[in-house]
């Protein structure tokens, strides 16, 4: 391992280890949600003793994202209407965004553009999952994996700002993918940093694999291939259409076989641009919730 790589990995790991851990209630929500026998009442018992999380659930169900005609005031009814997986992913994503969502001074990336790109990947992945008729209970997993796929850019951008400026300059000057420019400038890239966050916060292997392989999906042969390929395709579309800004102006083209494998064409992805933009605006509630204390 080169000295630069070892040094930068140590800096990033220290930053990640100092981040606040996920709240106990969120960990408990994840545990309950992963139990196939779990019921809304089980979640209600955990969420009802966490006023912040309870407030987020109630704000989500009564937001424009769902557009209900009448206000919901019962927590257990909100959980039933949202579904256990949606509540789990709300708890997870808002806890993460609360820890990482713009509280510090960022140097190279515009964070509004970064989160819009992340939302785009999340909602596009969700659209692909729906088209593939993925089990409705798992569809929200695709949204969260897409939302978090670039999360490793935050510690790089924050703790290695000068090197990150250099990486972005190299990518622009040599018209190359940002992750390759990061590797050249910093000896590590955002996929590796994101994997460290996933491991530290026990986000699960599926999300971790999507984070580490979203720029190299052809190399992935594990059991979460559908998720990895979906996030890779959604990320490519977001960069191609320049929805938000991830710093990656020159992404690598994905092999056509990848689109064939997940059962969508690039033409279809372009056709859903209007739907994606509408969903981004609706899903911005996750950012607002995540930025709250």
């Amino acid at each position: 391992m080169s000295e630069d790589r070892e040094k930068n990995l140590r800096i990033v790991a220290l930053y990640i280890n100092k981040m606040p851990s996920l709240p106990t209630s969120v960990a408990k929500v994840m545990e309950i949600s992963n139990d196939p026998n779990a019921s809304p009442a089980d979640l209600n018992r955990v969420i009802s003793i966490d006023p912040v999380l309870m407030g987020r659930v109630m704000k989500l169900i009564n937001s424009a994202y769902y557009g209900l005609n009448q206000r919901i005031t019962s927590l257990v009814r909100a959980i039933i209407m949202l579904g256990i997986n949606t509540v789990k992913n709300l708890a997870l994503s808002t806890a993460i965004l609360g820890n990482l969502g713009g509280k510090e001074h960022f140097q190279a990336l515009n964070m509004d553009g970064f989160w819009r790109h992340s939302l785009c990947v999340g909602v596009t992945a969700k659209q692909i999952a729906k088209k593939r008729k993925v089990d409705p209970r798992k569809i929200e997993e695709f949204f969260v994996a897409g939302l978090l796929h670039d999360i490793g850019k935050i510690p790089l951008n924050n703790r290695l700002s000068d090197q990150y400026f250099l990486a972005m300059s190299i990518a622009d000057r040599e018209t190359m993918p940002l992750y390759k420019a990061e590797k050249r400038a910093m000896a590590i890239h955002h996929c590796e940093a994101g994997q460290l966050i996933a491991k530290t916060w026990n986000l699960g292997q599926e999300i971790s694999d999507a984070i580490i392989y979203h720029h190299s999906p052809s190399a992935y042969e594990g059991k979460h291939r559908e998720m990895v390929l979906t996030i890779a395709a959604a990320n490519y579309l977001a960069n191609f259409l320049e929805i938000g800004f991830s710093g990656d102006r020159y992404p690598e083209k994905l092999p056509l076989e990848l689109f064939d494998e997940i059962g969508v064409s690039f033409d279809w992805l372009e056709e859903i641009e209007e739907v994606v933009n509408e969903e981004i605006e609706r899903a911005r509630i996750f950012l607002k919730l995540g930025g709250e204390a």
Side-chain angles (χ1 to χ4, degrees), residues 114 116-126 128 142 145-151 153 177-179 190-191 210-211 213-217 227-252 254 258-259 262 266 269:
F114 171 82
R116 185 173 179 83
H117 165 82
S118 300
L119 278 172
C120 179
V121 176
V123 299
T124 302
K126 192 173 175 179
I128 295 172
F142 286 79
L147 181 68
L148 301 180
H149 76 288
D150 268 349
I151 202 75
K153 289 179 179 176
L178 179 59
Y179 82 98
H190 66 273
C191 305
I211 288 172
Y213 285 103
H214 70 270
H215 286 299
S216 54
M227 176 70 81
V228 170
L229 299 190
T230 298
I231 300 305
N235 181 57
Y236 182 75
L237 178 77
N239 284 320
F240 181 83
L241 296 178
E242 297 183 338
I243 297 176
F245 180 63
S246 69
D248 200 3
R249 298 183 191 277
Y250 305 100
E252 290 174 319
L254 296 178
L258 183 152
F259 293 102
I262 60 173
F266 190 75
L269 288 171

Side-chain angles (χ1 to χ4, degrees), residues 56-105:
R56 288 169 176 165
V57 171
M58 299 311 297
K59 186 169 183 180
L60 178 61
I61 192 63
N62 289 303
S63 72
Y65 189 88
Y66 285 91
L68 301 178
N69 291 326
Q70 62 182 58
R71 186 168 184 81
I72 305 300
T73 57
S74 162
L75 175 60
V76 73
R77 187 178 176 200
I79 294 169
I80 292 169
M81 294 178 72
L82 290 170
I84 287 176
N85 274 301
T86 296
V87 173
K88 179 188 78 171
N89 291 326
L90 169 68
L92 176 61
S93 59
T94 57
I96 291 171
L97 295 174
N99 285 346
L100 296 177
K103 293 181 179 178
E104 299 180 64
H105 182 60

Side-chain angles (χ1 to χ4, degrees), residues 47 50-60 75 289 292:
I47 295 172
D50 183 333
V52 173
L53 182 52
M54 182 169 67
R56 288 169 176 165
V57 171
M58 299 311 297
K59 186 169 183 180
L60 178 61
L75 175 60
L289 291 170
E292 293 175 357

Side-chain angles (χ1 to χ4, degrees), residues 21-253:
S21 59
L22 295 181
T24 303
S25 58
V26 173
K28 189 65 178 175
V29 165
M30 292 178 67
E31 178 186 330
I32 291 172
S33 301
N34 290 331
D35 179 354
N37 298 315
S39 70
D42 295 325
L43 277 185
N44 181 69
R45 280 192 290 273
V46 174
I47 295 172
S48 62
I49 60 174
D50 183 333
V52 173
L53 182 52
M54 182 169 67
R56 288 169 176 165
V57 171
M58 299 311 297
K59 186 169 183 180
L60 178 61
I61 192 63
N62 289 303
S63 72
Y65 189 88
Y66 285 91
L68 301 178
N69 291 326
Q70 62 182 58
R71 186 168 184 81
I72 305 300
T73 57
S74 162
L75 175 60
V76 73
R77 187 178 176 200
I79 294 169
I80 292 169
M81 294 178 72
L82 290 170
I84 287 176
N85 274 301
T86 296
V87 173
K88 179 188 78 171
N89 291 326
L90 169 68
L92 176 61
S93 59
T94 57
I96 291 171
L97 295 174
N99 285 346
L100 296 177
K103 293 181 179 178
E104 299 180 64
H105 182 60
F106 294 92
Q107 299 290 332
L109 280 176
N110 173 280
M111 295 313 293
D112 286 339
F114 171 82
W115 286 119
R116 185 173 179 83
H117 165 82
S118 300
L119 278 172
C120 179
V121 176
V123 299
T124 302
K126 192 173 175 179
Q127 291 298 314
I128 295 172
K130 285 181 178 179
K131 181 175 174 61
R132 289 178 56 80
K133 295 182 168 48
V134 166
D135 183 338
R137 293 171 297 179
K138 280 189 60 69
I139 283 179
E140 289 296 329
E141 303 284 349
F142 286 79
F143 172 75
V144 171
L147 181 68
L148 301 180
H149 76 288
D150 268 349
I151 202 75
K153 289 179 179 176
I154 290 180
L156 299 185
N157 188 30
N158 190 4
R159 283 293 177 261
L160 302 169
S161 300
D162 292 343
Q163 294 176 61
Y164 211 70
F165 265 125
L166 176 60
M168 294 181 72
S169 298
I170 291 171
D172 283 347
R173 186 172 63 249
E174 302 192 22
T175 62
M176 66 191 297
L178 179 59
Y179 82 98
K180 290 187 174 180
E182 290 169 349
K183 195 76 173 177
R184 185 189 298 183
M186 312 166 78
I188 61 173
H189 55 70
H190 66 273
C191 305
E192 296 173 287
Q195 189 181 41
L196 289 176
I197 293 176
K199 183 177 180 181
T200 299
W201 278 346
N202 297 313
L203 298 183
Q205 197 59 49
E206 197 166 18
I207 290 177
S208 179
D209 286 352
I211 288 172
I212 191 68
Y213 285 103
H214 70 270
H215 286 299
S216 54
S218 298
Y220 182 76
E221 300 292 343
K223 65 179 181 178
H224 305 304
R225 187 168 171 83
E226 180 179 37
M227 176 70 81
V228 170
L229 299 190
T230 298
I231 300 305
N235 181 57
Y236 182 75
L237 178 77
N239 284 320
F240 181 83
L241 296 178
E242 297 183 338
I243 297 176
F245 180 63
S246 69
D248 200 3
R249 298 183 191 277
Y250 305 100
E252 290 174 319
K253 288 187 176 180

